[in-house]
Amino acid sequence: MVQWSLIIGALGALVAVLGAYCGWFLFPTMVHKKVEQSVIIADGSEQYKRFVNLPQPLVFKVFIFNVTNPDMVQRGAIPIVKEIGPYVYKQYRRKKVKHFSRDGSKISYVQNVHFDFDADASAPYTQNDRIVALNMHMNAFLQVFEREITDIFQGFANRLNSRLNRTPGVRILKRLMERIRGKRKSVLQISENDPGLALLLVHLNANLKAVFNDPRSMFVHTSVREYLFDGVRFCINPQGIAKAICNQIKESGSKTIRELSDGSLAFSFFSHKNGTGREVYEVHTGKGDAMKVLEIQKLDDSHNLQVWLNTSAEGDTSVCNQINGTDASSYPPFRQRGDSMYIFSADICRSVQLFYQSDIQYQGIPGFRYSIGENFINDIGPEHDNECFCVDKLTNVIKRKNGCLYAGALDLTNCLDAPVILTLPHMLGASNEYTKMIRGLKPDAKKHQTFVDVQSLTGTPLQGGKRVQFNMFLKSINRITITENLTTVLMPAIWVEEGIELNNEMVAFFKKKLLNTLKTLDIVHWAALCGGVGVAAVCLLYFAMQRSRPQEAPVK
């Protein structure tokens, strides 16, 4: 019996060693290889199918800043806003694959997006709700006009010559055009000393009514449906100079303005996103290096952007123009505590760094939470080595002496071809220079901070949201009557959250495919280790007890 206890104890120790080896070396290696195989995008694979068609729609929420005192704002008062929403849309994404690279490590595609209004999730709000919101298209036109009058009017000077020769005022305008050709100053600087340009501004001021439907203020009374998707109409049957202005706006190529069947124009925030995308993405498939899966390699056949400033005389790509990370639909696997990762957003023309915050649990699935840092829009300027974001395109606005905006605001003029300013929702973390000029903002980090929860092993997003706000400066523009009494403020228009919450079906699928397997391997590991150690310990104890017992004297 003593000999058998030694044999069984040795077997128990061997099982314990095997359990330790499997649990700490063999199983992790097997799981690592299995995850690598599962995340690689190969033609016809399950991951390829999930890549082409996201398994579930994203949730797209829009919050609108309704202006409660528009008439008072026109007389110089500080705007008072009230957030309404969310207006919730299901955002379906489907990728139209163009081709794989020869070695299979890259895949090119165009992103198709479709929005469906979710009435249940939006209730009690509906798309027919009436709002009073910032007139984005008129405000943008006036500010662009102020900034570079030459760029705007040289483009349609010839149209004025050919279409309006019979109008007496046009002959005056033609002479004025010749006088301002080649000048690059702001309207404000020139008009103070140039009576001819002042007269030109008078003519343009008179035609704003025909272009923008006889506006009474810098705010538009419209519906949510029109403001976001269907479009707010303007340039309705314009004549003379107004028609020339409308043609120039149409030919400017703005994504948010489209021509309707009757020849009028319409502005909307998101109509251009609803359908086939324009940008061609090339991303890594993970073949050869799973840690690079879905990282963007090229956008429109370029490794970098040409949006922001390049800081060197040789034109080397600045940090602002670098394309880093994924499109946020998924992330590279094998995340580690304390690490960071990038996402790239074409909507704001920049890469955004996300930093590890904490461990989390989402419906029983463990993961890591990541969030943006101060280097998103707070720490911008030469003192932070990213002055390339300071495009300094705006005149007579609230900004620092070096041309950079104050903390918490980013000028997207070069990105969107419109003087749009990016902040966090409710100007969370923004400088008091901006927030003191608006009433009704209620910043809350829990509601307004960008974050994402990621399953650490596979890089699968569990829940999260990209949260940003779009604003414009509201200000007085010389000789434009509708703006003459305005106080300069950074005016919020909308904020959006584009996010995901893994639904019950995907949670069940994820648990079945991964967590249950990991639990089974964990049980085997600890059962073998603890069971083997226990058996070995019992057998050794039995052996020791038997050896310590006194031997009985032989019977004579």
Side-chain angles (χ1 to χ4, degrees), residues 411-426:
D411 184 357
L412 296 182
T413 299
N414 283 4
C415 173
L416 302 179
D417 293 324
V420 176
I421 307 300
L422 181 78
T423 66
L424 292 180
H426 286 254

Side-chain angles (χ1 to χ4, degrees), residues 315-331:
D316 293 337
T317 301
S318 65
V319 64
C320 305
N321 279 319
Q322 293 176 1
I323 299 175
N324 299 312
T326 73
D327 68 352
S329 61
S330 192
Y331 303 90

Side-chain angles (χ1 to χ4, degrees), residues 328 331 341-345 348 351-357 369-374 376-377 422-425 428 444-453 463-469 495-500:
Y331 303 90
M341 57 187 184
Y342 282 90
I343 58 174
F344 175 78
S345 175
I348 60 173
S351 302
V352 179
Q353 191 173 14
L354 301 175
F355 299 89
Y356 168 84
Q357 299 296 321
R369 171 159 293 183
Y370 292 83
S371 183
I372 57 173
E374 293 295 312
F376 178 41
I377 51 176
L422 181 78
T423 66
L424 292 180
L428 174 68
D444 184 337
K446 291 183 179 180
K447 295 179 180 179
H448 303 142
Q449 186 72 284
T450 291
F451 79 98
V452 62
D453 294 340
Q463 69 171 342
K466 294 188 295 183
R467 298 163 173 166
V468 292
Q469 179 171 307
W495 73 270
V496 300
E497 176 182 324
E498 185 178 75
I500 187 172

Side-chain angles (χ1 to χ4, degrees), residues 177-228:
M177 289 294 179
E178 295 300 324
R179 295 177 60 182
I180 66 172
R181 288 186 189 276
K183 295 184 179 181
R184 304 295 296 180
K185 299 178 182 179
S186 75
V187 173
L188 215 57
Q189 291 172 318
I190 298 174
S191 61
E192 289 174 352
N193 303 312
D194 193 327
L197 183 55
L199 182 57
L200 174 59
L201 289 171
V202 170
H203 278 274
L204 294 173
N205 183 58
N207 280 276
L208 287 180
K209 293 182 178 181
V211 174
F212 297 107
N213 308 336
D214 195 15
R216 302 297 180 181
S217 74
M218 294 300 294
F219 305 98
V220 61
H221 295 250
T222 186
S223 70
V224 171
R225 186 192 306 274
E226 291 173 342
Y227 200 55
L228 300 184

